[in-house]
Amino acid sequence: MDYDIAIIGAGTSGLAFARSLSGTGLKIAIIEKMPEAKLKNPDYDGREFAITHLSHKILNDLDIWHRIEESEISLIKNAKVLNGDSNYALHFSHTEAGEENLGFMTSNHWIRKAAYESVKKAGKIKFITGTEVVGIETNSNGGTLTLSNKKKITAGLIVAADSRFSKTRDMMNIETSKLDFKRTCVVCKMDYEGAEQDTAMECFHYGRTLAVLPLTNKRCSVVMTIDTDKADDILSLSPEELAQDIEERIDSHLGKMTLKTKLYSYPLIGVYANKFYGQRYALLGDTAVGMHPVTAHGFNMGLRGAHTLANEIKAAQAQGLDIGSISVLNAYHDKHRKFTRPLYLGTNALVKLYTNESKPAKLLRHGLLKLGNRLKPAKHIITNLLTETGDKAA
Ligand SMILES: Cc1cc2nc3c(=O)[nH]c(=O)nc-3n(C[C@H](O)[C@H](O)[C@H](O)COP(=O)(O)OP(=O)(O)OC[C@H]3O[C@@H](n4cnc5c(N)ncnc54)[C@H](O)[C@@H]3O)c2cc1C
């Protein structure tokens, strides 16, 4: 075998997984279709992540977090959720959670850059870049990957972190539930002139959903979700028209706003693999669970999954067991499914309800928000998801 583990995809999940295993002595390769220069300096892609305390801890432990400039990190102290055209809001506060903040914000490209640097610094992990995995075959001993440059790579275990649209998952015939929301997420950054904010806003307006997330220096991430066949209503606006539209939708809460980046759009497809492994093959990150972004869990889950799988592998290695065996992969599957399944289904149910504009649904939407403010245990579960750092992930 060329490697003990071959990882497909150097997104945040693949890189964090590789970094978690540095120091184990395992021979590891990461295959990424982008050129290495893009891993060193990834392009900004509009995605700003709300990061949980557990992810923050894992990123610290992996020597990734401190590589991100402080000026690129903001703290979410409070969050509020609004519904329809009402001003009534469901509130979450860091003081209720007994923490300095509910979560952190930084962008996908800064995490990718920091993760790449950390893996490079740790050494011993081979990057095979600028070539795509186009074929995969596995047997009871390991797997063979065929690359677009015609080379072949063999490894005892293949780990696929090749996005929610993974081709290798399909080649391995892993049954996967796919949910096309028929909606598109359009994201950008805007500056505002009002007072500096540390509150994340999620507005389930009728017709579209709008999230405004605080960044540093009076800048915010604006996330608009709309039916795909109406996405042009947003994409065709001039920068001034769009800024004015957002200002109006949040009642000028942030004062005058100015568009600072281009618009990035993402079609929203949820995926959930029925099994997170096949023979000598494991699924990681969005390849295993591709979430709707409204509950901001995709990246966080990917990181948690990388941590869980790496811990199972390290435990097997310490006992002299086969790290690619079914029992190791199944242990990862059980733990990761237990955590991700309720969140995946819960998020999809939330999206279904808060995009339903029938009269009963509108009443239920409003009622649930009110109940949420009164039901302390429900609030506690949500804030706990953001702020817990316990090693339940392992
Ligand atoms: C608008 C938006 C906002 C979001 N906000 C949040 C948030 O606030 N919080 C949160 O937790 N999550 C959020 N997410 C989700 C988050 O973006 C994803 O869960 C996360 O980026 C997935 O990372 P990954 O490494 O699993 O996959 P990806 O980032 O998709 O990386 C996959 C990598 O594999 C490579 N690749 C693919 N195929 C091959 C191949 N055949 N051969 C070689 N390489 C290959 C790709 O080039 C890529 O580098 C958001 C998503 C969107 C769209």
mmCIF file of all heavy atoms in Angstrom, residues 333-351:
data_model
loop_
_atom_site.group_PDB
_atom_site.id
_atom_site.type_symbol
_atom_site.label_atom_id
_atom_site.label_comp_id
_atom_site.label_asym_id
_atom_site.label_seq_id
_atom_site.Cartn_x
_atom_site.Cartn_y
_atom_site.Cartn_z
ATOM 1 N N HIS A 333 -19.540 5.679 12.730
ATOM 2 C CA HIS A 333 -20.887 5.865 12.179
ATOM 3 C C HIS A 333 -21.916 6.036 13.301
ATOM 4 O O HIS A 333 -22.722 6.977 13.286
ATOM 5 C CB HIS A 333 -21.254 4.647 11.307
ATOM 6 C CG HIS A 333 -22.701 4.544 10.971
ATOM 7 N ND1 HIS A 333 -23.267 5.160 9.885
ATOM 8 C CD2 HIS A 333 -23.723 3.911 11.615
ATOM 9 C CE1 HIS A 333 -24.563 4.913 9.855
ATOM 10 N NE2 HIS A 333 -24.867 4.156 10.895
ATOM 11 N N ASP A 334 -21.875 5.151 14.284
ATOM 12 C CA ASP A 334 -22.875 5.189 15.367
ATOM 13 C C ASP A 334 -22.819 6.513 16.113
ATOM 14 O O ASP A 334 -23.846 7.151 16.348
ATOM 15 C CB ASP A 334 -22.630 4.042 16.370
ATOM 16 C CG ASP A 334 -23.131 2.713 15.829
ATOM 17 O OD1 ASP A 334 -23.849 2.714 14.809
ATOM 18 O OD2 ASP A 334 -22.787 1.668 16.415
ATOM 19 N N LYS A 335 -21.614 6.932 16.480
ATOM 20 C CA LYS A 335 -21.481 8.169 17.263
ATOM 21 C C LYS A 335 -21.892 9.383 16.444
ATOM 22 O O LYS A 335 -22.600 10.269 16.924
ATOM 23 C CB LYS A 335 -20.034 8.342 17.741
ATOM 24 C CG LYS A 335 -19.687 7.421 18.871
ATOM 25 C CD LYS A 335 -18.303 7.686 19.404
ATOM 26 C CE LYS A 335 -18.009 6.693 20.530
ATOM 27 N NZ LYS A 335 -16.620 6.668 20.914
ATOM 28 N N HIS A 336 -21.437 9.422 15.196
ATOM 29 C CA HIS A 336 -21.698 10.619 14.391
ATOM 30 C C HIS A 336 -23.174 10.692 14.005
ATOM 31 O O HIS A 336 -23.765 11.769 13.986
ATOM 32 C CB HIS A 336 -20.797 10.616 13.156
ATOM 33 C CG HIS A 336 -20.646 11.971 12.519
ATOM 34 N ND1 HIS A 336 -20.429 13.115 13.248
ATOM 35 C CD2 HIS A 336 -20.712 12.376 11.218
ATOM 36 C CE1 HIS A 336 -20.360 14.154 12.440
ATOM 37 N NE2 HIS A 336 -20.541 13.743 11.200
ATOM 38 N N ARG A 337 -23.771 9.545 13.747
ATOM 39 C CA ARG A 337 -25.189 9.530 13.380
ATOM 40 C C ARG A 337 -26.058 9.964 14.562
ATOM 41 O O ARG A 337 -27.008 10.718 14.410
ATOM 42 C CB ARG A 337 -25.578 8.122 12.915
ATOM 43 C CG ARG A 337 -26.986 8.045 12.387
ATOM 44 C CD ARG A 337 -27.306 6.628 11.942
ATOM 45 N NE ARG A 337 -28.726 6.423 11.886
ATOM 46 C CZ ARG A 337 -29.464 6.580 10.797
ATOM 47 N NH1 ARG A 337 -28.905 6.892 9.671
ATOM 48 N NH2 ARG A 337 -30.766 6.414 10.836
ATOM 49 N N LYS A 338 -25.677 9.504 15.758
ATOM 50 C CA LYS A 338 -26.461 9.836 16.958
ATOM 51 C C LYS A 338 -26.526 11.357 17.136
ATOM 52 O O LYS A 338 -27.558 11.910 17.500
ATOM 53 C CB LYS A 338 -25.786 9.181 18.168
ATOM 54 C CG LYS A 338 -26.650 9.178 19.390
ATOM 55 C CD LYS A 338 -26.012 8.308 20.460
ATOM 56 C CE LYS A 338 -26.635 8.643 21.801
ATOM 57 N NZ LYS A 338 -25.805 8.330 22.912
ATOM 58 N N PHE A 339 -25.410 12.016 16.854
ATOM 59 C CA PHE A 339 -25.399 13.467 17.029
ATOM 60 C C PHE A 339 -26.046 14.193 15.842
ATOM 61 O O PHE A 339 -26.798 15.163 16.022
ATOM 62 C CB PHE A 339 -23.946 13.956 17.205
ATOM 63 C CG PHE A 339 -23.857 15.449 17.328
ATOM 64 C CD1 PHE A 339 -24.267 16.091 18.490
ATOM 65 C CD2 PHE A 339 -23.396 16.224 16.264
ATOM 66 C CE1 PHE A 339 -24.224 17.470 18.594
ATOM 67 C CE2 PHE A 339 -23.349 17.611 16.365
ATOM 68 C CZ PHE A 339 -23.759 18.227 17.528
ATOM 69 N N THR A 340 -25.761 13.724 14.618
ATOM 70 C CA THR A 340 -26.168 14.518 13.446
ATOM 71 C C THR A 340 -27.616 14.297 13.005
ATOM 72 O O THR A 340 -28.243 15.222 12.486
ATOM 73 C CB THR A 340 -25.261 14.197 12.226
ATOM 74 O OG1 THR A 340 -25.289 12.782 11.967
ATOM 75 C CG2 THR A 340 -23.833 14.630 12.478
ATOM 76 N N ARG A 341 -28.127 13.075 13.215
ATOM 77 C CA ARG A 341 -29.452 12.744 12.672
ATOM 78 C C ARG A 341 -30.553 13.684 13.213
ATOM 79 O O ARG A 341 -31.309 14.263 12.438
ATOM 80 C CB ARG A 341 -29.748 11.272 13.003
ATOM 81 C CG ARG A 341 -30.983 10.724 12.355
ATOM 82 C CD ARG A 341 -30.693 10.243 10.959
ATOM 83 N NE ARG A 341 -31.909 9.819 10.294
ATOM 84 C CZ ARG A 341 -32.119 9.917 8.998
ATOM 85 N NH1 ARG A 341 -31.203 10.428 8.207
ATOM 86 N NH2 ARG A 341 -33.237 9.513 8.464
ATOM 87 N N PRO A 342 -30.647 13.872 14.548
ATOM 88 C CA PRO A 342 -31.703 14.765 15.047
ATOM 89 C C PRO A 342 -31.544 16.193 14.519
ATOM 90 O O PRO A 342 -32.539 16.857 14.200
ATOM 91 C CB PRO A 342 -31.519 14.741 16.571
ATOM 92 C CG PRO A 342 -30.637 13.589 16.869
ATOM 93 C CD PRO A 342 -29.860 13.271 15.636
ATOM 94 N N LEU A 343 -30.296 16.648 14.402
ATOM 95 C CA LEU A 343 -30.080 18.028 13.929
ATOM 96 C C LEU A 343 -30.448 18.173 12.459
ATOM 97 O O LEU A 343 -31.003 19.189 12.029
ATOM 98 C CB LEU A 343 -28.618 18.422 14.127
ATOM 99 C CG LEU A 343 -28.284 18.943 15.519
ATOM 100 C CD1 LEU A 343 -26.785 19.095 15.680
ATOM 101 C CD2 LEU A 343 -28.969 20.276 15.761
ATOM 102 N N TYR A 344 -30.114 17.143 11.689
ATOM 103 C CA TYR A 344 -30.436 17.183 10.258
ATOM 104 C C TYR A 344 -31.958 17.206 10.067
ATOM 105 O O TYR A 344 -32.500 18.060 9.356
ATOM 106 C CB TYR A 344 -29.815 15.961 9.563
ATOM 107 C CG TYR A 344 -30.095 15.907 8.083
ATOM 108 C CD1 TYR A 344 -29.410 16.743 7.188
ATOM 109 C CD2 TYR A 344 -31.051 15.034 7.557
ATOM 110 C CE1 TYR A 344 -29.677 16.699 5.830
ATOM 111 C CE2 TYR A 344 -31.315 15.001 6.196
ATOM 112 C CZ TYR A 344 -30.621 15.837 5.336
ATOM 113 O OH TYR A 344 -30.900 15.809 3.983
ATOM 114 N N LEU A 345 -32.632 16.286 10.753
ATOM 115 C CA LEU A 345 -34.098 16.207 10.592
ATOM 116 C C LEU A 345 -34.769 17.451 11.180
ATOM 117 O O LEU A 345 -35.720 17.992 10.608
ATOM 118 C CB LEU A 345 -34.636 14.932 11.259
ATOM 119 C CG LEU A 345 -34.171 13.623 10.607
ATOM 120 C CD1 LEU A 345 -34.682 12.426 11.392
ATOM 121 C CD2 LEU A 345 -34.632 13.528 9.147
ATOM 122 N N GLY A 346 -34.260 17.913 12.321
ATOM 123 C CA GLY A 346 -34.837 19.096 12.977
ATOM 124 C C GLY A 346 -34.688 20.333 12.093
ATOM 125 O O GLY A 346 -35.621 21.138 11.949
ATOM 126 N N THR A 347 -33.516 20.478 11.477
ATOM 127 C CA THR A 347 -33.275 21.633 10.601
ATOM 128 C C THR A 347 -34.224 21.589 9.404
ATOM 129 O O THR A 347 -34.834 22.599 9.035
ATOM 130 C CB THR A 347 -31.805 21.643 10.115
ATOM 131 O OG1 THR A 347 -30.967 21.766 11.261
ATOM 132 C CG2 THR A 347 -31.528 22.788 9.155
ATOM 133 N N ASN A 348 -34.382 20.402 8.814
ATOM 134 C CA ASN A 348 -35.268 20.289 7.644
ATOM 135 C C ASN A 348 -36.715 20.599 8.020
ATOM 136 O O ASN A 348 -37.443 21.253 7.254
ATOM 137 C CB ASN A 348 -35.169 18.892 7.034
ATOM 138 C CG ASN A 348 -33.797 18.641 6.419
ATOM 139 O OD1 ASN A 348 -33.002 19.566 6.304
ATOM 140 N ND2 ASN A 348 -33.524 17.415 6.040
ATOM 141 N N ALA A 349 -37.122 20.174 9.235
ATOM 142 C CA ALA A 349 -38.501 20.444 9.681
ATOM 143 C C ALA A 349 -38.681 21.953 9.894
ATOM 144 O O ALA A 349 -39.714 22.536 9.530
ATOM 145 C CB ALA A 349 -38.787 19.683 10.970
ATOM 146 N N LEU A 350 -37.663 22.577 10.462
ATOM 147 C CA LEU A 350 -37.704 24.032 10.697
ATOM 148 C C LEU A 350 -37.838 24.793 9.374
ATOM 149 O O LEU A 350 -38.651 25.709 9.226
ATOM 150 C CB LEU A 350 -36.414 24.447 11.405
ATOM 151 C CG LEU A 350 -36.302 25.896 11.822
ATOM 152 C CD1 LEU A 350 -36.789 26.032 13.264
ATOM 153 C CD2 LEU A 350 -34.858 26.374 11.759
ATOM 154 N N VAL A 351 -37.041 24.349 8.386
ATOM 155 C CA VAL A 351 -37.086 25.003 7.072
ATOM 156 C C VAL A 351 -38.478 24.832 6.462
ATOM 157 O O VAL A 351 -39.062 25.773 5.912
ATOM 158 C CB VAL A 351 -36.011 24.409 6.125
ATOM 159 C CG1 VAL A 351 -36.196 24.900 4.703
ATOM 160 C CG2 VAL A 351 -34.613 24.760 6.627
#
